[in-house]
Amino acid sequence: MTGWCVSDDLVSYPNAVAAMQARVAAIRAGEADELVWLLEHPALYTAGTSAKAKDLLDPARFPVFQTERGGQFTYHGPGQRVAYVMLDLTGRGRDVKAFVHDLEQWVIDTLAEFNVNGERRTGRVGVWVDRATAGPGSAVKTREDKIAAIGVRVKRWVSFHGVSLNVEPQLEHFSGITPCGVSDKRYGVTSLAALGRSVSMHDVDLALKACFETNFGPVERVTSPPIQRRVEMDVEGG
């Protein structure tokens, strides 16, 4: 059965990566069960394998970590629920596109628990919401905002990294990057709090757990992964 653990304290990015690497190796070796790990990071930026240097707009603002996950630049920080998903895809179809689709559905179902309509967008990974905003002359126009990012890595059919859902982070912190490389002014970022949903992180965790079980199967609560020795990572800025 898939383990489910929640860290109450902020977890540094290098320590989280070290713990994930150790767990993924153990899963591949048949020495550990699958695991979903929920946590929050201190404020930082990460650069995925497709990140472009021009999209790092303020390199001195927060630490910047090069990472193995797919995608471009993203922000992590307090008030954002990060879910690292370490699953063995050997028994789950060995289809990375279907896996990403299922991760998106997990988030969409979770948002629905708070009466938020999350949607996919062709050519833009992640989960988006339509927002009505007041335009010139009080005309109403629709803007699309991203509420959850998805960036995964699969090695020998075991996944790691995962999803980040904006619960109540400081959205202004996203201004130091071009989030996920999307620079079109019609698109932005949002959070449950910005949408008027006053929910606790605990409430979000309960919804994530129930919706994960619907999409991926049952889980059991376990203690958080032990923090491993700090790994060597490329760090810029900060």
Side-chain angles (χ1 to χ4, degrees), residues 66-150:
Q66 300 293 327
T67 180
E68 293 180 291
R69 63 158 176 81
Q72 302 187 47
F73 279 103
T74 195
Y75 165 78
H76 295 311
Q80 181 190 74
R81 177 51 87 208
V82 173
Y84 287 133
V85 183
M86 292 156 270
L87 299 183
D88 187 351
L89 303 189
T90 300
R92 296 177 179 270
R94 289 194 175 192
D95 187 329
V96 176
K97 288 185 177 179
F99 175 56
V100 172
H101 184 277
D102 290 344
L103 290 175
E104 290 172 336
Q105 192 61 50
W106 172 32
V107 175
I108 289 169
D109 292 347
T110 299
L111 292 171
E113 294 294 310
F114 305 106
N115 296 314
V116 172
N117 183 34
E119 298 177 334
R120 298 178 180 87
R121 289 291 181 267
T122 301
R124 287 182 268 140
V125 177
V127 178
W128 299 75
V129 297
D130 284 340
R131 300 189 66 188
T133 60
S138 297
V140 175
K141 62 180 180 179
T142 299
R143 188 181 76 191
E144 297 179 24
D145 284 349
K146 193 171 194 175
I147 194 168
I150 296 176

Side-chain angles (χ1 to χ4, degrees), residues 44-57 67 69-76 80 104 121-128 145-152 162-166 173-184 187-190:
L44 58 92
Y45 297 130
T46 64
T49 54
S50 301
K52 300 177 177 61
K54 67 180 178 61
D55 289 330
L56 180 59
L57 307 178
T67 180
R69 63 158 176 81
Q72 302 187 47
F73 279 103
T74 195
Y75 165 78
H76 295 311
Q80 181 190 74
E104 290 172 336
R121 289 291 181 267
T122 301
R124 287 182 268 140
V125 177
V127 178
W128 299 75
D145 284 349
K146 193 171 194 175
I147 194 168
I150 296 176
V152 296
V163 309
S164 57
L165 173 61
N166 295 332
H173 287 177
F174 283 89
S175 66
I177 56 173
T178 302
C180 301
V182 180
S183 58
D184 193 317
Y187 310 132
V189 292
T190 192

Side-chain angles (χ1 to χ4, degrees), residues 9-68:
D9 299 325
L10 297 180
V11 179
S12 77
Y13 192 75
N15 285 342
V17 170
M20 276 195 289
Q21 289 176 336
R23 185 69 176 222
V24 166
I27 292 170
R28 284 201 302 259
E31 299 171 353
D33 293 328
E34 297 175 316
L35 182 69
V36 178
W37 184 17
L38 272 56
L39 53 82
E40 293 173 83
H41 285 304
L44 58 92
Y45 297 130
T46 64
T49 54
S50 301
K52 300 177 177 61
K54 67 180 178 61
D55 289 330
L56 180 59
L57 307 178
D58 189 356
R61 188 171 192 180
F62 299 126
V64 182
F65 295 94
Q66 300 293 327
T67 180
E68 293 180 291

